[in-house]
Amino acid sequence: MPQTSRQIELASYPVGEIHPTDFEVNEVIIPELQVGEVLVRNAFTSVDPALCLRFRATAPKGYFRSFDLHAPLDGVATVGEVVASRAEDFREGDVVSHAYGFREYSVVNPSTIWLGGLGTLRRLDVSVSPAKLYLGPLGGSGISAYAGLFKAAELREGDVVWVSSAAGSVGSIASQLAKLRGHVVIGSAGSEAKIAYLLDELNLDAAFNYHSGPVAELLADVAPDGIDVYFDNVGGDHLEAAIAALRPWGRVALCGAISEYQSEVAVAGPSNLFLATSNELSLRGFRGSNHFDLRDEVIREIAPLIASGQFHYRETVFEGLEATPQAIVHMLRGDNLGKTLVHTA
Amino acid sequence: MPQTSRQIELASYPVGEIHPTDFEVNEVIIPELQVGEVLVRNAFTSVDPALCLRFRATAPKGYFRSFDLHAPLDGVATVGEVVASRAEDFREGDVVSHAYGFREYSVVNPSTIWLGGLGTLRRLDVSVSPAKLYLGPLGGSGISAYAGLFKAAELREGDVVWVSSAAGSVGSIASQLAKLRGHVVIGSAGSEAKIAYLLDELNLDAAFNYHSGPVAELLADVAPDGIDVYFDNVGGDHLEAAIAALRPWGRVALCGAISEYQSEVAVAGPSNLFLATSNELSLRGFRGSNHFDLRDEVIREIAPLIASGQFHYRETVFEGLEATPQAIVHMLRGDNLGKTLVHTA
């Protein structure tokens, strides 16, 4: 049994852009297991854009609370293997997911509910898929893509769909789910390599690099007749461009706003929101963790598609716990393709 | 038979705030009635906030198009009496509504569809209600209030509701409909007289004058536990305050944005839109003219309530066609209580 575990902690609340120096690695003594607890050796931890809202001293109202300084980062999805168990339903060797990521070992109580159920200790069926996919397409990312398309945007036959951050973890799933249902899908991303991925691997109908001009113009070039659904991972100018391009009864799924997460000041919202009234548009926010009930459906649909190669899944893996700060910073800079993971064991 | 008719025309597209001098009154010869047409002597014309979007050289995408300069203002709801008819289904003396307001006489073809059906020539049942109420609670205002509460906001039992411009035409109906269904209703308006009206006549649970402080603070004072639905007639700081106060799964009905209509520059949207994601909020735009199918239901509910005195209806009437510019300017300044009408015959 290991005596100690290293863990990532927040050294200070970042001001402006997040830097690796905002984090520190600390070694702590693993407490003795109590009845009902299990000890997990963590293999992969999920690195999600919205994490950085929790790195702020004040997290947005209604969101998960800010991380404490100099403390383990609780509420972060991770997968690993049970190495000791005093809980009835879990035994050594079980592959599980839980919410105590960014550390080598975690003591977990199965009765503690995390992330709307998504982060509660759960045994994974690794005959269906490798464990790490339960952090991505078969976990929070897949559920977010599903909830956004089918709940928030109420995807309807014939909808033309734009997905931003389409080469990212949630965006690549949302684009493919829409493509599989026969929709015209436009993707946007921030590098030529990502655009090539969207066009050549995901077979999207069109794609543009948002660095190559004003987003509204780039969107109009590929969707001259407008769009019906916008899956928003970016906010800012992307959201404004979408509102301008949406046809009557169009819908926006507000999944995230990565363009705004690192701003110290409030970012002005779309200046054309009256178009929502004139075109009867809906904007609906959602969080994967509110849609845990979709998990089984997501796994049932996506796992076989990945196994058969019809569904593409990419990840950018950072090796070793100490690479966590780099993983976070690179993800927020848009350097990573697909799901970002930290590999610790 | 009258030979001529006076009508209001737009003399120039207003720059910044709208002034009476942006309009002119012209006298035109009434053309001979063609087969299928009727001649209507207009009694009341509806003066609605969103009209001023059509006074701009460029109206918002998807909205009714801009009015032409030096031309009759078509697409404006009005009621009057048929004084001559060459149409099969209409006869002299019929009281009707149509969409050719802001003039003394209108030649109308019943087969021309206006405002999603709401402005198409239609005989009114004046045994149910005076004709002018078909411009307000039994017409576009009532339908907008209904569509906003029940379609856009999907009002649910127990919702705490905030209505802005609650002493206005649509707002006063929306507040009362919500009150009648047992909701806690907060109203806001821009004068102490209006606040007294909201509290003493409409019996709202709380009301505040938005001139008396930052809207977010005024709202927090009367709704310390937050709100579930915001019926938005104002936009700007009101919308931002609502987003901050909405509880999880809250909803905004985007009816209008009177605070922004007279701005020459794009007005920044709410800077806290990420709260829609973190609290799973919906913002949904709508226009009464897209919900003409609700008309019968609206009349069935509201007409008896008005007749029995359970429903309060106020109007501000400007006398004479030439008072139209004043009616418009005063309405936009927030001087008028309830529905604004111009009385021409």
Side-chain angles (χ1 to χ4, degrees):
Chain A
M1 271 307 100
Q3 301 299 305
T4 62
S5 168
R6 293 184 313 143
Q7 64 192 26
I8 299 292
E9 299 177 4
L10 197 54
S12 57
Y13 291 115
V15 176
E17 273 196 23
I18 293 170
H19 291 96
T21 50
D22 297 319
F23 301 91
E24 59 195 13
V25 183
N26 280 318
E27 186 156 13
V28 296
I29 292 169
I30 299 172
E32 204 179 330
L33 272 196
Q34 303 298 308
V35 173
E37 292 180 338
V38 304
L39 180 67
V40 181
R41 183 173 61 233
N42 299 321
F44 290 95
T45 294
S46 176
V47 183
D48 300 306
L51 268 183
C52 79
L53 295 167
R54 307 188 60 197
F55 295 146
R56 303 284 162 198
T58 312
K61 177 194 160 204
Y63 202 66
F64 303 112
R65 65 178 187 77
S66 297
F67 290 117
D68 291 328
L69 298 180
H70 312 296
L73 304 174
D74 289 353
V76 174
T78 192
V79 294
E81 188 180 325
V82 173
V83 291
S85 175
R86 295 189 68 189
E88 259 184 29
D89 300 335
F90 293 88
R91 59 182 64 180
E92 217 176 298
D94 279 353
V95 176
V96 294
S97 63
H98 62 84
Y100 302 92
F102 292 144
R103 69 201 81 171
E104 294 171 314
Y105 290 89
S106 305
V107 173
V108 187
N109 189 320
S111 66
T112 307
I113 292 166
W114 277 101
L115 311 176
L118 205 55
T120 306
L121 187 69
R122 172 177 302 272
R123 193 178 301 101
L124 302 174
D125 184 351
V126 288
S127 74
V128 165
S129 156
K132 63 184 177 177
L133 267 68
Y134 288 95
L135 294 175
L138 308 185
S141 308
I143 291 171
S144 292
Y146 243 75
L149 283 182
F150 305 122
K151 302 294 172 183
E154 295 176 345
L155 194 67
R156 297 169 198 160
E157 207 180 312
D159 280 341
V160 172
V161 179
W162 172 30
V163 179
S164 58
S165 295
S169 175
V170 175
S172 62
I173 300 169
S175 339
Q176 291 183 86
L177 287 174
K179 271 309 289 175
L180 282 166
R181 281 160 176 74
H183 293 274
V184 171
V185 178
I186 297 152
S188 60
S191 75
E192 292 307 315
K194 288 179 178 176
I195 299 307
Y197 170 67
L198 297 181
L199 293 171
D200 302 339
E201 289 195 45
L202 303 194
N203 289 310
L204 302 194
D205 299 278
F208 63 85
N209 179 342
Y210 66 82
H211 290 302
S212 51
V215 177
E217 291 176 21
L218 298 167
L219 178 61
D221 284 347
V222 295
D225 299 325
I227 60 174
D228 302 294
V229 163
Y230 172 50
F231 193 110
D232 188 22
N233 291 306
V234 176
D237 58 351
H238 284 60
L239 178 57
E240 190 164 277
I243 291 171
L246 280 162
R247 296 194 279 228
W249 294 280
R251 285 138 279 139
V252 178
L254 297 167
C255 181
I258 196 168
S259 72
E260 303 169 13
Y261 289 162
Q262 296 193 82
S263 173
E264 281 298 305
V265 295
V267 178
S271 67
N272 55 357
L273 204 49
F274 183 78
L275 293 176
T277 295
S278 65
N279 294 294
E280 204 117 342
L281 310 179
S282 295
L283 290 79
R284 190 176 287 176
F286 69 99
R287 287 157 63 186
S289 51
N290 283 334
H291 296 275
F292 180 56
D293 57 311
L294 295 173
R295 181 178 183 266
D296 292 347
E297 198 179 335
V298 167
I299 293 174
R300 222 169 21 240
E301 175 169 357
I302 300 181
L305 290 168
I306 292 179
S308 70
Q310 291 171 271
F311 205 93
H312 293 266
Y313 168 66
R314 291 280 207 107
E315 59 193 18
T316 302
V317 179
F318 290 75
E319 284 298 330
L321 182 76
E322 59 288 341
T324 300
Q326 293 296 338
I328 292 167
V329 168
H330 282 277
M331 177 203 55
L332 291 172
R333 274 214 311 246
D335 296 341
N336 304 349
L337 189 63
K339 180 77 191 174
T340 300
L341 296 172
V342 172
H343 183 213
T344 48
Chain B
M1 270 308 100
Q3 302 297 305
T4 62
S5 168
R6 292 184 313 145
Q7 63 192 25
I8 298 293
E9 298 178 3
L10 197 55
S12 57
Y13 292 114
V15 176
E17 272 195 23
I18 293 171
H19 291 96
T21 50
D22 297 319
F23 301 91
E24 58 195 14
V25 183
N26 280 317
E27 184 155 16
V28 297
I29 292 169
I30 299 173
E32 204 178 329
L33 272 196
Q34 303 299 305
V35 172
E37 292 179 339
V38 304
L39 181 67
V40 181
R41 184 175 58 234
N42 299 323
F44 290 95
T45 293
S46 175
V47 182
D48 300 306
L51 268 182
C52 80
L53 295 168
R54 306 188 60 199
F55 295 147
R56 302 284 163 196
T58 311
K61 176 192 162 205
Y63 201 68
F64 303 112
R65 65 177 187 77
S66 295
F67 290 116
D68 292 329
L69 297 180
H70 312 297
L73 304 175
D74 290 351
V76 175
T78 191
V79 293
E81 187 179 327
V82 173
V83 291
S85 176
R86 295 190 67 190
E88 259 185 29
D89 300 334
F90 293 88
R91 60 184 62 182
E92 217 175 299
D94 280 353
V95 176
V96 294
S97 63
H98 62 84
Y100 302 93
F102 291 144
R103 69 202 81 174
E104 294 171 315
Y105 290 90
S106 305
V107 174
V108 186
N109 190 319
S111 66
T112 307
I113 292 167
W114 276 104
L115 312 177
L118 206 55
T120 307
L121 187 69
R122 169 178 303 271
R123 192 177 303 103
L124 301 175
D125 185 350
V126 287
S127 74
V128 165
S129 156
K132 64 184 178 178
L133 267 67
Y134 288 95
L135 295 175
L138 308 184
S141 309
I143 292 172
S144 292
Y146 242 75
L149 283 182
F150 305 122
K151 302 294 172 183
E154 296 176 345
L155 194 66
R156 297 169 199 159
E157 208 181 310
D159 281 341
V160 172
V161 179
W162 172 31
V163 179
S164 59
S165 293
S169 176
V170 175
S172 61
I173 301 169
S175 339
Q176 290 182 87
L177 286 174
K179 270 309 290 174
L180 283 166
R181 280 162 177 74
H183 293 274
V184 171
V185 178
I186 296 152
S188 60
S191 75
E192 293 306 315
K194 289 179 178 177
I195 299 307
Y197 169 67
L198 297 180
L199 293 172
D200 302 339
E201 289 197 42
L202 303 193
N203 289 311
L204 303 193
D205 300 279
F208 63 85
N209 179 343
Y210 65 81
H211 291 302
S212 51
V215 176
E217 291 175 22
L218 298 168
L219 178 62
D221 284 346
V222 295
D225 299 326
I227 60 173
D228 302 293
V229 163
Y230 172 50
F231 194 110
D232 187 23
N233 291 306
V234 176
D237 57 351
H238 284 59
L239 177 57
E240 191 164 277
I243 291 171
L246 281 162
R247 295 193 278 227
W249 294 280
R251 286 138 277 138
V252 178
L254 297 167
C255 181
I258 197 167
S259 72
E260 303 169 14
Y261 289 161
Q262 296 194 83
S263 171
E264 281 298 305
V265 295
V267 178
S271 67
N272 55 357
L273 203 49
F274 182 77
L275 293 177
T277 295
S278 64
N279 294 294
E280 203 117 343
L281 309 180
S282 295
L283 290 79
R284 191 176 285 175
F286 69 98
R287 287 157 63 187
S289 52
N290 283 335
H291 296 275
F292 179 57
D293 57 309
L294 295 174
R295 182 178 183 268
D296 292 347
E297 198 178 334
V298 167
I299 293 173
R300 221 168 24 238
E301 174 168 357
I302 300 182
L305 290 169
I306 291 179
S308 70
Q310 291 171 270
F311 205 93
H312 293 266
Y313 168 66
R314 292 279 206 107
E315 59 194 17
T316 303
V317 179
F318 289 75
E319 283 298 331
L321 183 75
E322 59 288 340
T324 300
Q326 293 297 339
I328 293 167
V329 168
H330 282 277
M331 177 202 55
L332 290 172
R333 274 213 311 245
D335 296 340
N336 305 347
L337 189 64
K339 179 79 190 172
T340 301
L341 297 171
V342 172
H343 184 215
T344 49

